[in-house]
Amino acid sequence: YPIKKIMLKTILSISGKPGLYKLVSHGKNMLIVESLTDNKRVPAYAKDKVISLGDIAIYTDETEVPLHEVLTSVKNKEEGKTASLVPSKATTDQLRAYFAEVLPSYDRERVYPSDIKKLLSWYNILINAGITDFTPDIRHFFRLFLLLKKKQLGFQHLHCLISVLELGSLVLTLHHNSGGQMGNTDCGGCLIDM
């Protein structure tokens, strides 16, 4: 798949590190990630707070909306260009007014201006990196099923991080008993490349 169709599940925010990172591979007790801003590769360790953009949702008055839907709304508003509102220079009122256009029902009490600023910054980083399609693709999960069948792995391995890398190779980082925590990579040998 071209770079514009990278799953948000493989795009990471790492506490203490600016910007966004693409998951490249993993080793024992660490992930290898690549900055979407300068393409430099750095390690992220189990102690780091790592969040996948695919796991983030935005509070609304009634439910939560997946981040990919909000990013798509921003993209539609901006016609595929970077945000017209500069996050770092915008006032609280400007941020709230902008977000009300993108997600009218967002929860004004639980979504802070700092959250909106971060989301718009992430959006700009993704657009500048050529990642323009944020919608999950069901074909990736079908490929996962075929891979599990091919490798004769049990369905207990479905609890995993799915990483679709730039050239379309499907890599599964299988997290045994990790509780779904991105930073937990103790099963260092479980890297399967189709």
Side-chain angles (χ1 to χ4, degrees):
Y1 300 99
I3 190 170
K4 69 177 184 177
K5 188 60 183 179
I6 291 179
M7 289 176 68
L8 286 189
K9 195 78 175 173
T10 69
I11 305 298
L12 312 174
S13 171
I14 304 173
S15 180
K17 297 182 186 295
L20 293 174
Y21 296 82
K22 178 177 65 175
L23 177 63
V24 175
S25 64
H26 95 297
K28 189 169 179 61
N29 298 320
M30 72 173 178
L31 301 174
I32 302 299
V33 297
E34 181 177 291
S35 169
L36 292 183
T37 305
D38 59 16
N39 298 319
K40 290 183 179 177
R41 293 188 177 187
V42 295
Y45 298 98
K47 61 180 175 60
D48 294 325
K49 183 180 179 183
V50 180
I51 301 172
S52 164
L53 267 57
D55 293 334
I56 296 175
I58 307 299
Y59 291 118
T60 66
D61 293 331
E62 296 181 357
T63 185
E64 297 177 2
V65 176
L67 180 63
H68 72 84
E69 291 184 19
V70 182
L71 290 172
T72 299
S73 294
V74 175
K75 185 184 77 169
N76 292 340
K77 171 180 169 54
E78 300 294 355
E79 298 180 346
K81 300 174 183 174
T82 56
S84 53
L85 183 68
V86 180
S88 60
K89 297 180 179 179
T91 66
T92 295
D93 289 342
Q94 289 173 326
L95 289 166
R96 290 190 181 281
Y98 183 98
F99 209 59
E101 293 182 38
V102 173
L103 188 63
S105 63
Y106 86 91
D107 189 325
R108 271 69 172 171
E109 293 184 3
R110 293 195 288 179
V111 178
Y112 300 107
S114 58
D115 298 325
I116 300 170
K117 187 178 294 188
K118 181 178 289 187
L119 185 146
L120 292 178
S121 297
W122 285 351
Y123 169 79
N124 285 340
I125 290 171
L126 292 167
I127 292 296
N128 287 329
I131 301 170
T132 59
D133 190 345
F134 312 118
T135 308
D137 191 336
I138 192 64
R139 288 176 297 173
H140 299 317
F141 296 95
F142 181 68
R143 292 183 70 196
L144 168 61
F145 172 79
L146 292 179
L147 178 61
L148 290 172
K149 186 174 180 182
K150 176 181 175 184
K151 299 289 184 178
Q152 296 183 333
L153 297 175
F155 280 91
Q156 69 272 19
H157 294 293
L158 279 173
H159 183 69
C160 63
L161 167 65
I162 304 171
S163 307
V164 182
L165 300 182
E166 197 168 304
L167 298 178
S169 61
L170 182 62
V171 178
L172 307 178
T173 309
L174 303 177
H175 291 282
H176 302 289
N177 304 317
S178 70
Q181 296 176 2
M182 290 290 297
N184 190 328
T185 57
D186 290 336
C187 48
C190 291
L191 187 67
I192 301 173
D193 196 352
M194 188 172 180

